[in-house]
Amino acid sequence: MQIAKQAAELTAQGIGRTYGDFHALDDISLTIGRGEFLTLLGPSGSGKTTFLMILAGFDRPTSGTLFKDGADVTRLPAEKRAFGMVFQGYALFPHMSVEKNIAFPLQIQGQSGTQIQSRVDDMIDRVGLRGHEKKRPADLSGGQQQRVALARALVFGPSVLLLDEPFSALDKNLRGSMQDEVRRLHQETGTTFVFVTHDQSEALALSTRVAIFNQGKLQQVASPRDIYERPANRFVAEFLGDINILPLAGAAMNGNGAVARCGEQQIRIASAAGAPTAHLAIRPEHMALSTERPAAGNVLPVTIEAVTYLGPMTRFAARVDAGPSLVLETPTHATTPNLVPGSHAWVSWKEEQGYFL
Amino acid sequence: MRDILKPALLVGPLLLFLAAAYVVPFLGVLSWSFTLPEPGLHNYANALTDELILSVFLRTFRICLFVTVFAVIAAYAIALVWVRGTPAQRLAAEVCILIPFWISVLTRAFGWVALLSNRGLINTWLTQLGVISEPLTLVRNEFGVILGMTHFLVPFAVFPIASAMRSLDERVLLAARGMGASRARTFWQVFLPMTAPGVLGAAIIVFVFSLGFFITPAILGGGRSVMAAELIYLRIFQSPNWGLGAAISVLMMVVVGLLLGLLMRYARPKSMLS
Ligand SMILES: Nc1ncnc2c1ncn2[C@@H]1O[C@H](COP(=O)(O)OP(=O)(O)O)[C@@H](O)[C@H]1O
Ligand SMILES: [Mg+2]
């Protein structure tokens, strides 16, 4: 069942927000499609909350325009936008029961008692809070409070749901199950979701698209796969987990790809890696480590500096001879035991797995 | 074991001081009430049957109730400005809250007399403006006492209310507004209930404090609306009937104790303390 009356499309055009001389947001342009699940991802202080508050109408941009379904809503106050919002820290009404919290937005809309009761009942079932209706928020666990906040934000069928770091206070296991829950609610309601997090794996797991923020600037908007595998710049590449960056010399196009030198070794790079630059980026899990020189792919000689056992994976720190230090992760079952600190080895990767930065 | 003993050692002197300053004198007063002028319950029998004494009790509770209601309402408004106003408004509120602490209770009581008496500023102005022909009786009655006491107690009520307002999570208000609630509705259904523990705390402070008021009612009541503390004073220093004065004191303590007990029991002490 679709409980959203209609999912909305939001377009930000050159949105800026300054505090004195400080640019909390700088020229953000972005379209959030109908029914999309967009995640705003960035380090703390990068402007995610500020942008979300502007989308919600709790804050006004100092420059730029915000459109909802093509209409300018930049100056429309929050109470007229009627977006659902889940705040950091939940912001439940502590003096009201679970039921009353969820009923609050419906009462404001002036719905009849029976209508309110049936919608609240439906919502309580959807988020799995049956049996807790009469409790106060203080008597619930963190995960349950989170569910109340979700129910309260979705019960009136908002055209957009905004979520500000909703899971940051939950432990890791609970976080996983709440992520599943949010994904299910997104599918069931069909509403446009805008989700803020500073956790990159959460962003990759949930979203249809991810928007990366840093220092008030939008760095890249793309699907999780493209963000991870084709980051637009070094910040995005490094923010989404470990990455190895190799200095290149004499990079040039060559047939359907490019060639370059890294130290003594000749490196081949596939055409999808972009225009040649002086740096090649490769994710740690795309690199292999062996004691014998592999016959195929790009290879570099290294010295092992550290080995860390992580259960299913083993992590190596390895220094390219007279070059940069690399991080590698290989499946533990495929790791040879004689790769110990101080030993010499070869790293290798396929030519389509590196890209220019 | 040492973890328990250490704080006990640190707090010990304070406990000794409190015992010396409050408990011992109170036990003395308690024993007077049963032994002066001769042993027996006659002082309590007198206090609970004497019409004059009962009327003073009744008046004391009536005045304290009005003072509590007015002081808490005024304090709520001031705290609201102090916590949520513009910077200029905050400063103004802060000055209004702090200045009364620098002016003695006597000065303030006489200040009210100067304003309210028959030949005081207010009556003089109103007469000159032709609004009234006879001066209004604004002082030497319950009105004057309630006004003076309310004025004195408002700043004390501001602090617990303001602290409740400060600890309120701003995002809860944003949440209500975001769901379409008007400012008025957000105030009545969210802000006020969430700050209610502070209001209750303020009301208890004001009520208990006002029960023992002496100087303000003595000056602004002009001997016509005697309250319990003044009555105790009269019985001990003027009549002198120490036993009866002591019995009245003990009865007041019992009433305060009962009131606090009731509030703690029925007004969710958990939320009051947090
Ligand atoms: N009211 C404010 N006054 C001044 N600076 C602010 C204010 N609100 C936010 N900022 C600044 O704007 C930047 C972005 O903040 P925010 O949007 O909360 O970041 P995020 O949610 O990504 O952690 C921060 O550097 C923060 O200090
Ligand atoms: Mg934030």
Side-chain angles (χ1 to χ4, degrees):
Chain A
M1 182 187 95
Q2 303 268 308
I3 61 175
K5 283 159 202 147
Q6 200 201 352
E9 178 192 84
L10 293 175
T11 301
Q13 214 170 67
I15 294 277
R17 176 68 168 99
T18 54
Y19 294 105
D21 291 341
F22 177 72
H23 289 259
L25 283 179
D26 193 4
D27 194 22
I28 307 287
S29 295
L30 160 74
T31 292
I32 305 166
R34 235 174 272 292
E36 185 170 17
F37 194 130
L38 181 89
T39 296
L40 312 180
L41 175 66
S44 184
S46 57
K48 308 178 299 288
T49 297
T50 306
F51 187 60
L52 204 70
M53 289 294 157
I54 286 171
L55 292 183
F58 293 126
D59 192 13
R60 299 269 159 81
T62 37
S63 57
T65 319
L66 182 70
F67 299 95
K68 179 192 167 198
D69 295 330
D72 183 346
V73 294
T74 319
R75 314 252 136 224
L76 194 69
E79 54 267 37
K80 298 255 169 64
R81 295 189 196 185
F83 293 169
M85 175 114 191
V86 175
F87 289 84
Q88 211 166 355
Y90 319 132
L92 299 176
F93 303 126
H95 57 294
M96 296 183 197
S97 65
V98 167
E99 225 171 24
K100 297 235 167 70
N101 263 282
I102 301 174
F104 190 82
L106 301 176
Q107 271 162 357
I108 285 169
Q109 294 180 347
Q111 300 197 4
S112 75
T114 50
Q115 210 174 352
I116 291 178
Q117 194 55 50
S118 82
R119 296 194 75 166
V120 169
D121 268 349
D122 173 57
M123 217 54 222
I124 282 177
D125 283 333
R126 265 173 205 280
V127 297
L129 282 170
R130 184 60 63 205
H132 302 286
E133 307 91 305
K134 306 284 180 208
K135 291 187 186 166
R136 300 264 178 120
D139 300 326
L140 299 177
S141 70
Q144 289 167 336
Q145 292 184 32
Q146 183 60 74
R147 285 163 210 266
V148 180
L150 279 167
R152 187 181 66 174
L154 282 169
V155 70
F156 60 102
S159 57
V160 176
L161 180 68
L162 307 169
L163 306 102
D164 192 1
E165 307 218 12
F167 306 146
S168 58
L170 302 180
D171 66 49
K172 204 166 173 246
N173 288 337
L174 200 52
R175 202 180 264 229
S177 72
M178 286 310 298
Q179 286 171 4
D180 294 342
E181 183 117 15
V182 163
R183 206 185 347 232
R184 182 175 58 76
L185 286 170
H186 176 243
Q187 278 158 8
E188 281 181 15
T189 59
T191 300
T192 306
F193 276 38
V194 184
F195 182 99
V196 168
T197 183
H198 62 253
D199 178 332
Q200 25 110 356
S201 60
E202 191 164 276
L204 298 178
L206 286 173
S207 334
T208 49
R209 280 194 311 159
V210 182
I212 309 266
F213 281 68
N214 186 36
Q215 297 184 341
K217 292 195 177 66
L218 183 59
Q219 305 291 318
Q220 187 176 7
V221 194
S223 70
R225 179 176 286 272
D226 283 351
I227 284 273
Y228 187 74
E229 294 180 3
R230 290 286 173 265
N233 57 42
R234 193 156 175 159
F235 173 81
V236 175
E238 289 180 338
F239 190 69
L240 287 166
D242 294 318
I243 191 136
N244 294 309
I245 296 180
L246 298 173
L248 298 179
M253 296 305 290
N254 178 317
N256 53 358
V259 288
R261 267 183 307 103
C262 179
E264 308 283 286
Q265 305 295 320
Q266 177 88 0
I267 306 283
R268 286 204 54 82
I269 303 118
S271 58
T277 60
H279 294 281
L280 186 69
I282 311 139
R283 293 278 175 204
E285 67 275 18
H286 289 154
M287 288 183 135
L289 201 55
S290 52
T291 45
E292 304 296 324
R293 182 182 172 130
N298 294 312
V299 294
L300 287 176
V302 295
T303 308
I304 307 287
E305 290 185 322
V307 184
T308 313
Y309 173 74
L310 299 174
M313 302 296 276
T314 299
R315 192 181 170 87
F316 295 90
R319 183 170 294 282
V320 179
D321 300 335
S325 187
L326 304 178
V327 176
L328 289 94
E329 269 179 26
T330 60
T332 297
H333 68 86
T335 305
T336 41
N338 51 2
L339 289 170
V340 294
S343 62
H344 293 281
W346 295 87
V347 292
S348 60
W349 69 96
K350 294 186 189 136
E351 61 186 65
E352 61 272 19
Q353 276 165 337
Y355 48 87
F356 289 113
L357 266 189
Chain B
M1 203 47 199
R2 284 183 57 175
D3 288 348
I4 301 170
L5 277 178
K6 241 185 176 173
L9 279 176
L10 289 173
V11 177
L14 179 66
L15 291 178
L16 277 179
F17 173 76
L18 288 176
Y22 289 98
V23 179
V24 172
F26 177 71
L27 290 177
V29 169
L30 195 64
S31 81
W32 292 349
S33 74
F34 290 110
T35 57
L36 292 179
E38 67 253 6
L41 291 172
H42 53 91
N43 285 325
Y44 288 94
N46 274 354
L48 292 172
T49 50
D50 185 327
E51 292 218 354
L52 176 80
I53 296 176
L54 287 179
S55 78
V56 169
F57 274 148
L58 202 65
R59 178 188 297 127
T60 304
F61 286 117
R62 184 174 59 229
I63 290 177
C64 292
L65 212 60
F66 277 117
V67 167
T68 303
V69 170
F70 294 145
V72 167
I73 292 175
Y76 200 89
I78 294 174
L80 201 59
V81 175
W82 189 26
V83 174
R84 305 190 61 84
T86 63
Q89 289 172 333
R90 282 179 203 207
L91 186 70
E94 210 159 290
V95 170
C96 291
I97 295 159
L98 292 180
I99 282 188
F101 285 106
W102 304 339
I103 305 173
S104 96
V105 58
L106 267 176
T107 316
R108 279 195 267 170
F110 284 118
W112 280 112
V113 173
L115 274 177
L116 301 175
S117 70
N118 282 1
R119 294 200 204 145
L121 281 177
I122 291 178
N123 275 318
T124 313
W125 282 340
L126 289 179
T127 314
Q128 281 172 355
L129 289 171
V131 182
I132 51 171
S133 50
E134 290 292 305
L136 300 171
T137 317
L138 300 172
V139 75
R140 289 177 178 277
N141 58 10
E142 271 186 41
F143 172 80
V145 175
I146 291 174
L147 190 63
M149 285 174 65
T150 304
H151 175 241
F152 186 86
L153 287 166
V154 164
F156 296 94
V158 167
F159 290 104
I161 296 175
S163 110
M165 288 178 181
R166 282 215 182 84
S167 62
L168 187 142
D169 183 353
E170 185 71 20
R171 288 173 295 198
V172 177
L173 304 180
L174 283 186
R177 303 269 288 145
M179 287 174 232
S182 63
R183 273 173 199 281
R185 190 165 193 147
T186 306
F187 177 80
W188 289 109
Q189 295 196 351
V190 181
F191 192 80
L192 189 59
M194 281 180 74
T195 49
V199 171
L200 190 66
I204 292 174
I205 289 175
V206 171
F207 191 79
V208 170
F209 207 168
S210 65
L211 281 177
F213 257 49
F214 179 73
I215 292 174
T216 310
I219 294 172
L220 292 173
R224 281 182 220 190
S225 42
V226 173
M227 285 176 67
E230 196 179 352
L231 183 69
I232 295 168
Y233 171 83
L234 291 173
R235 285 291 169 277
I236 289 188
F237 288 98
Q238 295 193 339
S239 4
N241 187 342
W242 285 33
L244 186 57
I248 301 172
S249 309
V250 172
L251 287 174
M252 291 297 289
M253 292 255 336
V254 169
V255 168
V256 169
L258 282 178
L259 273 177
L260 287 180
L262 276 179
L263 276 168
M264 285 296 182
R265 189 178 164 118
Y266 292 108
R268 291 170 43 94
K270 214 169 66 181
S271 58
M272 255 185 61
L273 295 175
S274 63

